Amino acid sequence: MNRNTDTSMIKEATSPRPVILESQTRIRFDHCDPFGHLNNSAFLNYFQNAREDQVEEAYGLDIHAFFRKTGRAWVVGQNQIVYLHPAVVRELVTIQTSIIRVSDTSMLVEHLMLDEKKEVLKSVLWTKFVYIDVRKTARATHEPELMQLFEEVVCKEETSEVFEERVKQLRSQHQPIAK
């Protein structure tokens, strides 16, 4: 098979594959500001690292091995983020990610950071990933095997096209419980 289009890097998995991927991580001291809050820029790293691990575990897709084999990868084209509640040093947080839109050359991934019990929504991030051929430094078209995976796992829930409206919807679903 042509080395440029071999997507056999996607391991076989039982169906149905999960649409919402979830993992937990602990907020580290060296990622926080003097107030003990997760630094704004560190949210992006937490989200990206979680997504990378989740995709490999749930879908069997190691994006680094895939890149080495095909010369193709996803780059961040745009981020939209809102910070709603602080994530604090040593806190265990839950990160959920899902593909909410996909095209032949890009995808929109939604990332949520919640408290450990998934009651308090801390941050929402939308990342538009653009698929590129690194050797050509140009957009690439997702291979049929990738599109098949994406169509299986893209969120079918009706999602607003407007980030701020989606945030409002998510906030209403995750109202903090008064103690």
Side-chain angles (χ1 to χ4, degrees), residues 97-169:
T97 69
S98 58
I99 299 172
I100 58 174
R101 285 189 238 329
V102 68
S103 77
D104 60 343
T105 62
S106 67
M107 73 177 96
L108 183 62
V109 176
E110 180 174 85
H111 307 73
L112 309 179
M113 184 181 288
L114 303 127
D115 69 326
E116 180 180 8
K117 295 179 182 177
K118 299 186 270 188
E119 296 170 348
V120 179
L121 181 63
K122 296 178 174 290
S123 183
V124 179
L125 168 68
W126 275 7
T127 300
K128 180 180 181 183
F129 289 100
V130 178
Y131 192 51
I132 63 163
D133 186 317
V134 177
R135 294 173 302 236
K136 296 177 184 173
T137 62
R139 270 190 189 234
T141 301
H142 288 126
E143 291 80 4
E145 296 86 349
L146 287 173
M147 288 305 291
Q148 181 179 353
L149 171 64
F150 298 153
E151 290 300 324
E152 183 180 341
V153 301
V154 69
C155 186
K156 306 290 192 258
E157 173 187 329
E158 192 69 30
T159 305
S160 175
E161 299 267 336
V162 179
F163 179 71
E164 292 78 7
E165 289 178 20
R166 176 64 174 157
V167 170
K168 186 186 285 188
Q169 176 190 17

Side-chain angles (χ1 to χ4, degrees), residues 19-126:
V19 172
I20 298 174
L21 305 182
E22 183 176 297
S23 58
Q24 291 188 318
T25 191
R26 191 163 305 280
I27 303 301
R28 301 295 172 195
F29 171 79
D30 61 328
H31 302 152
C32 294
D33 64 21
F35 301 105
H37 298 164
L38 184 62
N39 185 290
N40 288 357
S41 63
F43 275 84
L44 297 173
N45 290 330
Y46 277 76
F47 283 133
Q48 296 297 359
N49 290 334
R51 179 71 182 171
E52 178 183 333
D53 294 343
Q54 293 167 352
V55 164
E56 184 171 5
E57 184 178 321
Y59 306 146
L61 177 58
D62 176 340
I63 61 171
H64 300 288
F66 184 85
F67 168 70
R68 286 190 303 276
K69 189 167 187 170
T70 65
R72 295 178 175 203
W74 294 267
V75 295
V76 174
Q78 181 181 45
N79 281 322
Q80 289 181 274
I81 190 166
V82 62
Y83 307 97
L84 303 168
H85 291 280
V88 296
V89 68
R90 301 288 304 140
E91 179 180 12
L92 190 62
V93 295
T94 302
I95 297 177
Q96 295 178 343
T97 69
S98 58
I99 299 172
I100 58 174
R101 285 189 238 329
V102 68
S103 77
D104 60 343
T105 62
S106 67
M107 73 177 96
L108 183 62
V109 176
E110 180 174 85
H111 307 73
L112 309 179
M113 184 181 288
L114 303 127
D115 69 326
E116 180 180 8
K117 295 179 182 177
K118 299 186 270 188
E119 296 170 348
V120 179
L121 181 63
K122 296 178 174 290
S123 183
V124 179
L125 168 68
W126 275 7

